[in-house]
Short mmCIF file of all heavy atoms in Angstrom, two decimals:
data_model
loop_
_atom_site.label_atom_id
_atom_site.label_comp_id
_atom_site.label_asym_id
_atom_site.label_seq_id
_atom_site.Cartn_x
_atom_site.Cartn_y
_atom_site.Cartn_z
N ILE J 322 -6.21 12.15 -29.99
CA ILE J 322 -6.83 10.96 -29.41
C ILE J 322 -6.78 9.86 -30.47
O ILE J 322 -7.27 10.04 -31.59
CB ILE J 322 -8.29 11.23 -29.00
CG1 ILE J 322 -8.35 12.40 -28.01
CG2 ILE J 322 -8.91 9.98 -28.40
CD1 ILE J 322 -9.76 12.84 -27.70
N ALA J 323 -6.15 8.74 -30.12
CA ALA J 323 -5.98 7.65 -31.09
C ALA J 323 -6.45 6.34 -30.48
O ALA J 323 -6.17 6.04 -29.32
CB ALA J 323 -4.52 7.53 -31.51
N GLY J 324 -7.19 5.58 -31.25
CA GLY J 324 -7.64 4.26 -30.85
C GLY J 324 -7.16 3.21 -31.83
O GLY J 324 -7.19 3.42 -33.05
N ASN J 325 -6.70 2.07 -31.33
CA ASN J 325 -6.20 0.97 -32.16
C ASN J 325 -6.92 -0.32 -31.82
O ASN J 325 -7.31 -0.55 -30.66
CB ASN J 325 -4.69 0.77 -31.97
CG ASN J 325 -3.88 1.93 -32.48
OD1 ASN J 325 -3.97 2.32 -33.64
ND2 ASN J 325 -3.07 2.52 -31.61
N PHE J 326 -7.05 -1.18 -32.81
CA PHE J 326 -7.66 -2.48 -32.62
C PHE J 326 -6.94 -3.49 -33.50
O PHE J 326 -6.60 -3.20 -34.65
CB PHE J 326 -9.15 -2.44 -32.99
CG PHE J 326 -9.81 -3.80 -32.99
CD1 PHE J 326 -10.19 -4.39 -31.80
CD2 PHE J 326 -10.04 -4.48 -34.18
CE1 PHE J 326 -10.80 -5.64 -31.80
CE2 PHE J 326 -10.64 -5.72 -34.20
CZ PHE J 326 -11.02 -6.31 -32.99
N TYR J 327 -6.68 -4.68 -32.94
CA TYR J 327 -6.07 -5.76 -33.72
C TYR J 327 -6.58 -7.08 -33.15
O TYR J 327 -6.63 -7.25 -31.92
CB TYR J 327 -4.54 -5.71 -33.65
CG TYR J 327 -3.86 -6.70 -34.57
CD1 TYR J 327 -3.71 -6.42 -35.92
CD2 TYR J 327 -3.36 -7.90 -34.09
CE1 TYR J 327 -3.07 -7.32 -36.78
CE2 TYR J 327 -2.73 -8.80 -34.93
CZ TYR J 327 -2.59 -8.50 -36.27
OH TYR J 327 -1.97 -9.39 -37.11
N ALA J 328 -6.98 -8.01 -34.02
CA ALA J 328 -7.54 -9.28 -33.56
C ALA J 328 -7.17 -10.39 -34.52
O ALA J 328 -7.08 -10.19 -35.74
CB ALA J 328 -9.06 -9.18 -33.44
N THR J 329 -6.95 -11.58 -33.98
CA THR J 329 -6.73 -12.78 -34.80
C THR J 329 -7.57 -13.92 -34.22
O THR J 329 -7.75 -14.03 -33.00
CB THR J 329 -5.25 -13.21 -34.81
OG1 THR J 329 -4.90 -13.71 -33.50
CG2 THR J 329 -4.33 -12.05 -35.15
N ILE J 330 -8.09 -14.76 -35.12
CA ILE J 330 -8.77 -15.99 -34.73
C ILE J 330 -8.20 -17.10 -35.61
O ILE J 330 -8.46 -17.14 -36.81
CB ILE J 330 -10.29 -15.90 -34.89
CG1 ILE J 330 -10.86 -14.76 -34.05
CG2 ILE J 330 -10.94 -17.22 -34.49
CD1 ILE J 330 -12.35 -14.57 -34.22
N GLY J 331 -7.39 -17.96 -35.02
CA GLY J 331 -6.70 -19.01 -35.78
C GLY J 331 -7.17 -20.40 -35.36
O GLY J 331 -7.31 -20.69 -34.18
N ASN J 332 -7.41 -21.24 -36.37
CA ASN J 332 -7.76 -22.64 -36.16
C ASN J 332 -6.81 -23.50 -36.96
O ASN J 332 -6.62 -23.27 -38.16
CB ASN J 332 -9.19 -22.93 -36.60
CG ASN J 332 -10.22 -22.25 -35.74
OD1 ASN J 332 -10.63 -22.78 -34.72
ND2 ASN J 332 -10.65 -21.05 -36.13
N ALA J 333 -6.21 -24.50 -36.33
CA ALA J 333 -5.22 -25.33 -37.03
C ALA J 333 -5.29 -26.77 -36.55
O ALA J 333 -5.45 -27.03 -35.35
CB ALA J 333 -3.82 -24.78 -36.83
N ARG J 334 -5.19 -27.70 -37.50
CA ARG J 334 -4.93 -29.09 -37.18
C ARG J 334 -3.44 -29.24 -36.96
O ARG J 334 -2.63 -28.73 -37.74
CB ARG J 334 -5.39 -30.01 -38.31
CG ARG J 334 -6.88 -29.99 -38.56
CD ARG J 334 -7.63 -30.65 -37.44
NE ARG J 334 -9.04 -30.86 -37.79
CZ ARG J 334 -9.97 -31.24 -36.94
NH1 ARG J 334 -9.66 -31.44 -35.67
NH2 ARG J 334 -11.21 -31.41 -37.33
N THR J 335 -3.05 -29.95 -35.92
CA THR J 335 -1.63 -30.10 -35.61
C THR J 335 -1.23 -31.57 -35.61
O THR J 335 -2.04 -32.45 -35.31
CB THR J 335 -1.32 -29.49 -34.23
OG1 THR J 335 -2.13 -30.11 -33.23
CG2 THR J 335 -1.58 -27.99 -34.24
#
Side-chain angles (χ1 to χ4, degrees):
I322 302 172
N325 293 304
F326 172 79
Y327 187 81
T329 70
I330 301 177
N332 292 273
R334 296 290 191 191
T335 57

